[in-house]
Amino acid sequence: MLDEILKWPEEIYDALVLIDRPIVVKVGTAEVLGQFVIESNSLVIELAQIDGGGEGVLPAINRIARRIAGLKKVDYIDCIVHAVNCVDPNLKLRSHLLKTGFQIRDLPHKGEAYFKRITL
């Protein structure tokens, strides 16, 4: 499935993914609630919930994000993960985010979240 998504033409990403509205996408066995948009010179990925799946979910999203960023010729990928104030936190996710360079920030109009800017 991931290989298929990575082969999509730019028009498909524009129509189905980069719509600046919350969508649920299936990545492997996980269901991900997220929002994706191009803002200025950045692809903004905002993840609200990840149900199921294993540790391969975030690397898969990263591969898709890099593909979209390449097509859109942006210089950054801004990753926002709303996992700071979860009722039932996923401690493995939190640990992974911190180990991979995410920082907790208070983001305008978003609140407190894990944030990481990837420079391409």
Side-chain angles (χ1 to χ4, degrees), residues 7-21:
K7 292 178 185 173
W8 286 355
E10 185 174 357
E11 300 79 31
I12 299 294
Y13 292 114
D14 289 342
L16 300 178
V17 179
L18 299 172
I19 58 175
D20 198 17
R21 289 191 314 237

Side-chain angles (χ1 to χ4, degrees), residues 3-110:
D3 290 334
E4 194 175 302
I5 293 170
L6 292 170
K7 292 178 185 173
W8 286 355
E10 185 174 357
E11 300 79 31
I12 299 294
Y13 292 114
D14 289 342
L16 300 178
V17 179
L18 299 172
I19 58 175
D20 198 17
R21 289 191 314 237
I23 59 173
V24 175
V25 293
K26 190 113 167 130
V27 180
T29 58
E31 287 188 350
V32 179
L33 173 62
Q35 189 162 324
F36 310 86
V37 66
I38 300 292
E39 289 182 355
S40 301
N41 198 21
S42 182
L43 167 61
V44 179
I45 299 172
E46 190 170 354
L47 302 178
Q49 188 169 341
I50 301 172
D51 286 330
E55 295 181 17
V57 174
L58 293 178
I61 292 170
N62 183 48
R63 287 185 61 199
I64 295 166
R66 288 180 180 276
R67 166 81 169 127
I68 294 170
L71 289 170
K72 293 300 187 181
K73 298 177 176 54
V74 296
D75 291 329
Y76 308 102
I77 300 173
D78 288 336
C79 305
I80 301 166
V81 181
H82 294 280
V84 175
N85 298 309
C86 295
V87 174
D88 186 16
N90 180 333
L91 300 179
K92 286 174 69 176
L93 172 64
R94 288 181 175 187
S95 175
H96 174 77
L97 293 173
L98 293 172
K99 285 179 187 174
T100 57
F102 281 80
Q103 298 176 344
I104 296 174
R105 291 208 185 150
D106 190 6
L107 303 170
H109 310 291
K110 308 266 183 218

